[in-house]
Structures are given as C-alpha cells and as structure tokens.
Amino acid sequence: MKGFFGSALLFCALHAAAQNWPAKAVTLIIPFPPGGSTDIVGRIAAEGLAKELGQPFVIDNRGGAAGAIGAKAIADAAPDGYTLGLATVSTHVVNPVVRGAALGYDALKDFTYVSQIAAVPNVVSVHPSVPAKNMNEFVLYLKSNPGRLNFGTPGNGSLGHLTGETFKFAAGVDIVHVPYKGAGPALNDTLAGQVQVLFDNLPSSLPHIQAGRLRALAVASEKRVASLPEVPTFAEAGLPLLNDPSWFGLIGPARLPPAIVSRVGDALARAVRQPETTARLEVIAASPIANSADQFRAAVAAGIEASRRIAKQGNLKFD
C-alpha cells in the first residue's frame, strides 16, 4: 500500500506541475555533436518552441554511440517536462536493430513520443578526388577497386551505418566503414579527404555540395531535391532499398504528463508552420511534419520492423 500511495502522490505532484509548465527553462538534449543535421534541426525547433512557450530551450549536445548516449540521457530524465530531446532514425530505429538488448533503452517503452518535427533526404556524397561523376561510375569504380575507399558515418548503429551496409549489399561492392562520434566530425574528415565517401542526412552536407567541396551521387527522397535537381534519387539510380528519407522528432522520458505532451506538441505544430521556420527548413531541404504522438510512435515501430527486414535480407554486419 505504501508503494501505491507513493506512486499516487508522485502522479498528483506531476499533474499539478504540468498545469504550470513551463515555469522555467527547458533542456533539449540533442544526441549528436554540433554541426550535424540533428543539431541544425534541433536548434530550429528549440527557437520556435521558446517563442511559442515563453521560456528558453537550452541545447545540450550529448554525442556518442550513434546517438545512444544522448537517447539514454533522455530516457533517464525526470518526467516533468524540463528535459526533452530529439529522436532520430539512428537513435530509435537503427540502434535498436543493431545493438538490441545491449542498447540500454527500449525505443518504444522508455520514451514519451510528442511529434515528428521534420523529414529530410539522406545523401551519399564523395570527395572530389573520387573519379566518379555519377552513381553508375561510382559503382563501377568500387567494383574495380574493392576495399580501396572508406565511408564515414555518425557512428556504429547510425542511419549512415545502416545505409552504407545496405549500399554495399545492394550494389555488390566492398567499401570500408569508418565510424565517427557524429555527422559533424565525419563531414569534416570527408571535406579534408581523410575519408572519401559520406552517408549522411542532407542538411549538414548541402552547403558543401552546393559549393563543390563534395559531389552528391544520390538522395533518399520520394522525388528529387529542388536545390539539387541534377542529383537522382536512389530509386532512380537503381538502388530502391536506400530510398527512404530520414526524420527528426521531439520526445521526452516515459510517463511524461499528457498535459505537457499536448501543450508542447501544439506549440511545435505552430512553430514549424510559422513562415520564418518553414523558410529555414526549406533552405536545408527539410519538410515540416508535426504529426500526433500516436502517429510518431507508429512510424518508429514501422521503421524498426523495416530495418530488421533489410538487415536480415542482406545479412548485414555491424561490427
């Protein structure tokens, strides 16, 4: 009985606090270092939420383990609404498939889903030193030079890792994985030519592609990206398994009070539809989503199952 009354008192306290939320600054955990697409989208969302809710949203970058360290910090936070975070395909779809029980959190049970923020294309790009102008030439080069090129990703268990391994299987090529602690460091080394190939979300790579410092070979998107009209989709390039775009979403720890979920979800929906926010997202080729918590959760569950099927089909290895 003591445990029951203790739980009841905690519930009442959280419910009362939810009515006045937010009464102070909110921490937003971004599970990757600065400079990557997750950080870019997260900061845009944080600014919009701060304007809508009248309290600062303070960014806390927690990189490492393909986002798993930051995701675990979100799961372990108090469910009072003052620590929220970003979920990505890496943290909540690929990592659960790659790491399984060793991950340290359950992607569906240990979080409260609020809303997906935006969808973005993924991209494979190469350093200009790679002698390939398009995907066809790239695949032919890799087949003639097995193991010669390296590909950078945000880390073992990241979406970039899954995409790279799926690419190796689908194209029948051998290319060496080099994991980093986030997209930012991987991007920097690709720009420097330390690795020659990068599998990434498009926003962080886009300005460097447009400046000619990277060469994009294909994008994962339903249609071509307006800012890169000459770059085909993976489906057009003959690799439909790689053609799913990515997304970023807003989450909290499990048992977040429904009143807070509703309020922050409504605020996010208003924020991403503000003309200035929409314009900022369009610049990085991102499309607002702002769906319901149930729709977000269902998308994560479907993504996990799809990734498991791809991993099994290709007998993919993630060591």
Side-chain angles (χ1 to χ4, degrees):
M1 290 297 287
K2 191 179 205 179
F4 170 79
F5 285 118
S7 297
L9 287 171
L10 177 60
F11 174 80
C12 291
L14 289 172
H15 180 74
Q19 306 313 304
N20 300 317
W21 183 92
K24 60 181 181 179
V26 177
T27 295
L28 185 69
I29 295 177
I30 296 179
F32 289 95
S37 297
T38 310
D39 185 63
I40 294 169
V41 173
R43 288 173 187 273
I44 291 173
E47 289 178 25
L49 287 167
K51 288 179 182 177
E52 292 292 332
L53 293 167
Q55 291 288 353
F57 273 64
V58 180
I59 301 299
D60 180 0
N61 291 96
R62 301 271 192 104
I69 291 173
K72 183 69 164 61
I74 299 166
D76 290 344
D80 57 8
Y82 290 102
T83 300
L84 302 175
L86 257 65
T88 71
V89 177
S90 292
T91 60
H92 281 69
V93 173
V94 182
N95 249 321
V97 172
V98 172
R99 301 178 190 270
L103 184 57
Y105 60 83
D106 186 300
L108 295 175
K109 295 179 181 178
D110 293 341
F111 301 89
T112 298
Y113 287 87
V114 178
S115 176
Q116 287 175 301
I117 301 167
V120 299
N122 301 315
V123 64
V124 57
S125 52
V126 297
H127 188 267
S129 63
V130 175
K133 301 295 184 185
N134 54 52
M135 182 61 74
N136 225 18
E137 292 180 1
F138 183 52
V139 171
L140 288 174
Y141 178 81
L142 292 176
K143 287 185 175 181
S144 300
N145 298 272
R148 183 169 182 176
L149 297 188
N150 300 324
F151 72 95
T153 75
N156 285 313
S158 67
L159 174 61
H161 190 189
L162 175 65
T163 304
E165 295 301 327
T166 304
F167 172 74
K168 289 166 60 176
F169 157 68
V173 297
D174 179 16
I175 185 169
V176 180
H177 180 220
V178 180
Y180 287 82
K181 291 185 177 180
L187 173 62
N188 289 338
D189 267 14
T190 310
L191 291 169
Q194 300 300 313
V195 293
Q196 301 83 28
V197 186
L198 179 67
F199 289 92
D200 191 16
N201 304 128
L202 182 58
S204 48
S205 295
L206 182 58
H208 304 288
I209 294 167
Q210 292 171 322
R213 293 189 289 269
L214 292 175
R215 183 184 304 126
L217 301 181
V219 292
S221 180
E222 292 181 3
K223 58 183 180 180
R224 294 194 181 195
V225 175
S227 52
L228 298 173
E230 74 286 357
V231 179
T233 67
F234 277 103
E236 289 177 315
L239 297 165
L241 271 180
L242 288 84
N243 207 51
D244 287 336
S246 192
W247 51 257
F248 304 95
L250 188 64
I251 57 172
R255 299 178 300 282
L256 199 62
I260 293 178
V261 176
S262 178
R263 189 161 185 211
V264 72
D266 290 345
L268 180 66
R270 292 193 302 271
V272 300
R273 292 188 177 112
Q274 291 294 330
E276 61 269 25
T277 305
T278 300
R280 290 179 70 188
L281 291 172
E282 285 178 351
V283 166
I284 58 172
S287 305
I289 301 177
N291 55 3
S292 72
D294 288 343
Q295 289 170 327
F296 183 10
R297 185 185 182 85
V300 171
I304 290 171
E305 288 308 309
S307 294
R308 281 182 178 144
R309 285 195 300 272
I310 291 172
K312 184 175 181 181
Q313 179 182 346
N315 192 29
L316 303 183
K317 306 299 182 186
F318 298 98
D319 299 330

